[in-house]
Amino acid sequence: SADDGDLLQGHYARHPDIGGRSASIISGLAETLTATGAIRFEPGCLSPDCTESKRNFTALLGAAHAAKVAVVVLGTIHSSKNNNDDFSPCGALDVDGVSPTLPLACAMEGHDRSSIDLPAGQLVLAHALCRSETGVPLVCVLVHGGSLALRTLLKDCDAIVDAWLPGGQGARGFADVLFGRVSPAGRSPQTFYSDNASLPAPGDMAVYANASRGSAGWTYRYSNAAVDIPFGFGLSYTTFKYHSLRTNTSSISHCDTISVSVVVANVGAR
């Protein structure tokens, strides 16, 4: 949620609000705006899986149409406060010894999501706010701790900022990126696959290909599945040129140590 700083800190933050220094996406943006700017916040979803219908987006869409830029926060949530968070939208993991059926958006210690999909309602929300519907650019912020299938976000969002679980100061960092105080330089630490069918069967933990076990290997090294965002991908406000890649040897054996160098030049305007 854009107005909940605790959800930016991850499942292991026992008391994320102590000291009052953590910020939500909304408060981080408000702190960074100049005196001539203004933020209007309207909640898009009131439940983890965003089951509200489009007719409940009236105030939200009104705010988007009046804005220069719309920002929507999407992703997964967790049961915070060190697993004992009955007030969290995900609740406690275990209720009277019975594991509850949690919303698709919930991800936490002891509970793996059964799908990399975002809840369909979140995709509906993003589409309702996209440029073709409102006339203003849409920035989608992803707050999550695991893999996601981006699906229609790739066409509905003018920009996607993958914040992961950025911690107590993450919202302020996002504001610096959005307002151009810093040029983003992050690179994806994982491969973003298109859908669940692109992933190996659950329980197949054979990282390397092994024909005798019937495993094709399950890292991006072996996968031929459709990929939306490759490992190491990331955009910036400038342009970089890479050249003169060199190694200190022309042959490599198992367990060898090698040195690699490359020249990186900023050839953009910033």
Side-chain angles (χ1 to χ4, degrees):
S1 175
D3 63 341
D4 189 342
D6 286 1
L7 294 180
L8 303 181
Q9 309 228 16
H11 187 65
Y12 293 101
R14 181 181 289 272
H15 298 292
D17 49 357
I18 287 180
R21 292 294 301 155
S22 63
S24 66
I25 295 294
I26 292 299
S27 63
L29 291 174
E31 291 175 10
T32 310
L33 265 181
T34 63
T36 58
I39 290 178
R40 177 178 170 184
F41 168 65
E42 294 290 346
C45 300
L46 303 177
S47 62
D49 281 352
C50 197
T51 54
E52 293 82 0
S53 65
K54 189 174 180 179
R55 64 178 178 271
N56 291 331
F57 295 160
T58 304
L60 180 75
L61 294 176
H65 279 92
K68 291 183 177 180
V69 177
V71 178
V72 63
V73 181
L74 308 166
T76 61
I77 59 176
H78 54 84
S79 177
S80 59
K81 300 293 189 288
N82 205 39
N83 250 9
N84 297 308
D85 193 3
D86 291 330
F87 60 83
S88 164
C90 287
L93 178 61
D94 188 89
V95 180
D96 297 328
V98 179
S99 295
T101 300
L102 299 177
L104 179 61
C106 292
M108 54 189 172
E109 182 72 17
H111 173 74
D112 292 330
R113 300 178 71 231
S114 60
S115 170
I116 62 172
D117 281 326
L118 283 166
Q122 291 194 27
L123 301 180
V124 171
L125 172 63
H127 181 71
L129 291 170
C130 72
R131 188 193 291 258
S132 64
E133 296 290 321
T134 65
V136 301
L138 175 64
V139 178
C140 297
V141 186
L142 302 181
V143 176
H144 61 112
S147 299
L148 293 176
L150 302 179
R151 294 191 180 269
T152 52
L153 297 183
L154 292 169
K155 64 180 181 66
D156 285 338
C157 307
D158 292 278
I160 296 176
V161 179
D162 194 4
W164 291 87
L165 297 172
Q169 301 302 310
R172 297 181 175 99
F174 165 69
D176 284 343
V177 168
L178 184 67
F179 293 123
R181 289 186 172 186
V182 298
S183 183
R187 299 293 182 263
S188 176
Q190 70 164 54
T191 301
F192 282 76
Y193 293 100
S194 299
D195 50 41
N196 295 311
S198 303
L199 304 176
D204 180 4
M205 300 303 292
V207 176
Y208 301 105
N210 189 313
S212 65
R213 291 202 304 253
S215 174
W218 57 262
T219 67
Y220 64 88
R221 176 181 176 184
Y222 301 101
S223 176
N224 293 315
V227 171
D228 286 333
I229 304 294
F231 174 84
F233 179 82
L235 298 177
S236 176
Y237 292 145
T238 189
T239 303
F240 295 99
K241 181 179 180 180
Y242 303 82
H243 63 91
S244 302
L245 176 65
R246 295 187 177 91
T247 67
N248 65 341
T249 180
S250 59
S251 61
I252 303 171
S253 299
H254 292 295
C255 300
D256 279 357
T257 299
I258 65 171
S259 297
V260 180
S261 65
V262 64
V263 176
V264 182
N266 183 346
V267 297
R270 292 192 54 166

